[in-house]
C-alpha cells in the first residue's frame, strides 16, 4: 500500500459493532466483563481503548512500523522514551533541539542521574567522540527547529547500531509524508501529533512508533504504568487529521517553496533557512532522505533586532503570531522571545539564532495571499 492510501486505510477497518466507516469515539473508562478477565480485548481505557487503538494502528502504518502508541502530548511521548533509561546512562542529542525536549532532559532527567551530551550532528565525528560504554541512546531531530539544519539519519543509525545504542528520531517537522526514520535504521520514531498529524491546531498529542517487539513491549508497559495516554476524543481528531496528511503536506511543501524563494529575493531579508535551497549546507542529505522540503522555514532581516522582527510579525494579517506549527493556517513566531527564550543569547547566536529571526509555519492558504501579506509586512 502506498503512503497516500495508508493515511486513509492503513491498518483501518470499519467498526466491528455497526460497520461505522469512521472510528467511533469510545468515550468510556471501562468495559463489561463476562467473568473476571473474560472481555472483548478491552478492560480499562488507560491500558487500551478502541478509538486510541485504531489511531495507534494508523500511526504504525504511516511510519512503516509494527507498533504505534499515542500519548497525551509530544512531551509525554518523549518522557516515556526517557523512562527506558537508568541512572548512569548517557544520551547524545542534537545541540539545537526542541526547547521542551531540552528542558525535560536538563531540568528533569539530569536530576535522575542521566547525562545528556548536546552535539552538532552535522559532523558524525562529534557523535562518535561522545560514545562511552554508558551511551544508551541517541536522540535526534531533522530538520531542526528553527534553524532547519538537516542531519543524516542513516549515517547516525549505522553508528548507533554498530555500538548497540538506541536511536530515537523526533520526526515532528518532517512528518511521515516526507521521511520515515525506521526505514533509515532508527529504532524509535516520535511525533508531536499536535502539529502536522493532527494538522488543524485543535489537539495536543504525542506518538511513538517502533518495529521491534521487545522494545514495543517495554514502551507499552511504560505507557500503561505511567498513564500519559490521550483521550478517545483527541484520538478521533488525530485519525481524522491523518486522513488528509498527504494532501495537506503537498500544499505545505508547495507554499513553503514559493515563500522561501520569494523571501530569498527580498532586499530586506538577510538570510532564509530552508533545506530546499541548493546552497543549504545539507541540501544533498535533505534531497536523499526527504521526499520534499516541507512548510517550515525561518528568515532573518538585516541587523540583530528584536524590534524589527516584531514589527514585521505585528504587521502580518494572514499569518497569526503564535507558538506551534503544522496546522492548516499560517503562523509566524519569534524564536528569540518565544520558543527559544530559555536559551541564553550567546548560545542562541552560536547556532545562528539572532534576535531578528522569524519562523514561519506556512499553511495551506492561497500562496499569493501569503506572499502579499509578507510583502506588506516587510514594507
Ligand atoms: C511541539 C514539539 C514537541 C512537543 O510536543 P507537544 O505536543 O507540544 O508536547 C516536540 N518536538 C518538536 C519538534 C515539536 O515541535
Amino acid at each position: 500500500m502506498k503512503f497516500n492510501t495508508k493515511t486513509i486505510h492503513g491498518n483501518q477497518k470499519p467498526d466491528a459493532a455497526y460497520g461505522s466507516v469512521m472510528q467511533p469515539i469510545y468515550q468510556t473508562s471501562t468495559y463489561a466483563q463476562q467473568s473476571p478477565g473474560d472481555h472483548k480485548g478491552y478492560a480499562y481505557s488507560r491500558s487500551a481503548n478502541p478509538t486510541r487503538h485504531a489511531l495507534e494502528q494508523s500511526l504504525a502504518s504511516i511510519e512503516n512500523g509494527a507498533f504505534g502508541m499515542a500519548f497525551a502530548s509530544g512531551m509525554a511521548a518523549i518522557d516515556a522514551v526517557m523512562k527506558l533509561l537508568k541512572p548512569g546512562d548517557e544520551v547524545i542529542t542534537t545541540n539545537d533541539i526542541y526547547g521542551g525536549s531540552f528542558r525535560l532532559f536538563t531540568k528533569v532527567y539530569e536530576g535522575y542521574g542521566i547525562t545528556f551530551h548536546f552535539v552538532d550532528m552535522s559532523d558524525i565525528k562529534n557523535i562518535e567522540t561522545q560514545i562511552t560504554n554508558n551511551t544508551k541512546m541517541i536522540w535526534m531531530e531533522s530538520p531542526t527547529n528553527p534553524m532547519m539544519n538537516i542531519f543524516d539519519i542513516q549515517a547516525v543509525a549505522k553508528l548507533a547500531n554498530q555500538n548497540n545504542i538506541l536511536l530515537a528520531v523526533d520526526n515532528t517537522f518532517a512528518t511521515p509524508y516526507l521521511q520515515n526514520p525506521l526505514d533509515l535504521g532508527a529504532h524509535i520514531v516520535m511525533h508531536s501529533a499536535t502539529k502536522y498529524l493532527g494538522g488543524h491546531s485543535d489537539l495536543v498529542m504525542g506518538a511513538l512508533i517502533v518495529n521491534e517487539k521487545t522494545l514495543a513491549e517495554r514502551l507499552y508497559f511504560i505507557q500503561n504504568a505511567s498513564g500519559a495516554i490521550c483521550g478517545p476524543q483527541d484520538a478521533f481528531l488525530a485519525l481524522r487529521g491523518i486522513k488528509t496528511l498527504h494532501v495537506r503536506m503537498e500544499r505545505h511543501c508547495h507554499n513553503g517553496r514559493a515563500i522561501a524563494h520569494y523571501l530569498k529575493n527580498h532586499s530586506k531579508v538577510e538570510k532564509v533557512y530552508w533545506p530546499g535551497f541548493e546552497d543549504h549546507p545539507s541540501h544533498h542529505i535533505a534531497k536523499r532522505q526527504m521526499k520534499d522540503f516541507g512548510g517550515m522555514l525561518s528568515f532573518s532581516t538585516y541587523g540583530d533586532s528584536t524590534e524589527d522582527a516584531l514589527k514585521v510579525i505585528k504587521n502580518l494579517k494572514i499569518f497569526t503570531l503564535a507558538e506551534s506549527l503544522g496546522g492548516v493556517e499560517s503562523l509566524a513566531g519569534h524564536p528569540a522571545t518565544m520558543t527559544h527564550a530559555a536559551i541564553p543569547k550567546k548560545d542562541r547566536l552560536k547556532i545562528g539564532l539572532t534576535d531578528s529571526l522569524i519562523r514561519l509555519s506556512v499553511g495551506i492558504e492561497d500562496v499569493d495571499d501569503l506572499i502579499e501579506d509578507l510583502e506588506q509586512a516587510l514594507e
Side-chain angles (χ1 to χ4, degrees):
M1 201 183 273
K2 295 218 165 65
F3 185 79
N4 296 355
T5 310
K6 280 185 180 177
T7 53
I8 299 166
H9 298 293
N11 291 341
Q12 299 299 302
K13 288 193 289 283
D15 175 55
Y18 298 107
S20 155
V21 169
M22 282 307 297
Q23 185 63 37
I25 302 167
Y26 282 95
Q27 193 75 42
T28 186
S29 60
T30 192
Y31 308 81
Q33 306 191 12
Q34 297 312 111
S35 56
D38 179 11
H39 53 70
K40 295 178 175 168
Y42 298 94
Y44 185 61
S45 278
R46 171 160 35 74
S47 313
N49 170 284
T51 318
R52 191 174 89 231
H53 183 67
L55 169 65
E56 293 177 331
Q57 291 286 102
S58 170
L59 291 165
S61 169
I62 59 175
E63 273 293 9
N64 301 335
F67 307 94
M69 278 151 269
F71 292 83
S73 68
M75 293 319 303
I78 301 175
D79 186 69
V81 175
M82 290 303 131
K83 284 174 176 153
L84 293 168
L85 302 169
K86 287 189 201 58
D89 287 351
E90 294 181 28
V91 180
I92 302 169
T93 183
T94 325
N95 64 350
D96 60 339
I97 193 172
Y98 175 72
S101 308
F102 181 80
R103 182 175 55 193
L104 180 71
F105 295 171
T106 57
K107 299 277 195 280
V108 178
Y109 281 97
E110 278 187 355
Y112 293 140
I114 295 160
T115 307
F116 295 85
H117 303 278
F118 298 90
V119 306
D120 175 2
M121 291 197 177
S122 58
D123 187 349
I124 198 97
K125 284 199 195 77
N126 294 337
I127 305 176
E128 225 167 340
T129 55
Q130 294 289 352
I131 294 177
T132 71
N133 288 338
N134 296 327
T135 309
K136 294 289 152 61
M137 189 181 292
I138 298 174
W139 182 276
M140 74 186 292
E141 285 176 31
S142 178
T144 63
N145 172 31
M147 302 316 296
M148 304 305 295
N149 288 314
I150 302 288
F151 304 125
D152 190 337
I153 297 172
Q154 200 159 21
V156 178
K158 197 171 151 205
L159 185 67
N161 280 305
Q162 281 164 355
N163 291 279
N164 215 4
I165 298 168
L166 280 176
L167 172 61
V169 178
D170 181 339
N171 206 27
T172 302
F173 265 46
T175 81
Y177 174 83
L178 294 177
Q179 116 192 331
N180 301 110
L182 295 179
D183 293 349
L184 300 171
H187 307 99
I188 302 172
V189 176
M190 173 264 158
H191 281 280
S192 168
T194 312
K195 317 295 167 54
Y196 284 103
L197 298 188
H200 295 74
S201 308
D202 53 8
L203 60 87
V204 174
M205 187 188 286
L208 297 178
I209 302 100
V210 303
N211 260 325
E212 293 158 31
K213 188 148 185 279
T214 49
L215 182 58
E217 281 166 356
R218 287 169 70 199
L219 288 166
Y220 271 130
F221 181 86
I222 293 165
Q223 184 194 35
N224 184 44
S226 291
I229 45 136
C230 68
Q233 179 94 30
D234 284 349
F236 173 87
L237 284 172
L239 263 172
R240 180 181 162 126
I242 288 169
K243 284 182 196 292
T244 57
L245 177 63
H246 54 296
V247 244
R248 286 186 284 110
M249 285 310 294
E250 241 174 72
R251 183 64 72 87
H252 281 299
C253 292
H254 173 267
N255 288 0
R257 170 178 280 104
I259 287 173
H261 283 97
Y262 161 76
L263 288 171
K264 197 173 194 181
N265 294 318
H266 199 288
S267 61
K268 287 188 180 161
V269 173
E270 186 177 18
K271 199 158 181 226
V272 184
Y273 299 89
W274 179 68
F277 289 132
E278 272 176 32
D279 61 0
H280 180 287
S282 307
H283 175 70
H284 60 291
I285 301 169
K287 235 174 111 173
R288 192 178 67 224
Q289 80 186 7
M290 297 167 74
K291 186 173 162 191
D292 202 336
F293 305 107
M296 294 303 301
L297 59 98
S298 298
F299 70 99
S300 55
T301 50
Y302 286 96
D304 179 19
S305 156
T306 293
E307 208 174 83
D308 284 351
L310 293 185
K311 210 152 101 189
V312 174
I313 292 173
K314 280 182 186 150
N315 282 332
L316 288 166
K317 295 189 169 70
I318 296 176
F319 282 86
T320 305
L321 169 65
E323 311 251 356
S324 199
L325 60 113
V328 290
E329 62 288 303
S330 292
L331 303 180
H334 184 241
T337 56
M338 295 168 71
T339 46
H340 291 65
I343 304 174
K345 177 153 180 170
K346 65 169 189 1
D347 292 334
R348 279 195 274 116
L349 289 181
K350 266 189 238 160
I351 58 166
L353 204 167
T354 64
D355 285 348
S356 74
L357 193 84
I358 295 172
R359 188 189 81 178
L360 300 181
S361 170
V362 178
I364 63 170
E365 301 95 334
D366 191 297
V367 73
D368 293 343
D369 287 336
L370 296 179
I371 289 175
E372 204 178 293
D373 195 24
L374 287 163
E375 179 80 23
Q376 62 83 23
L378 282 161
E379 201 48 51

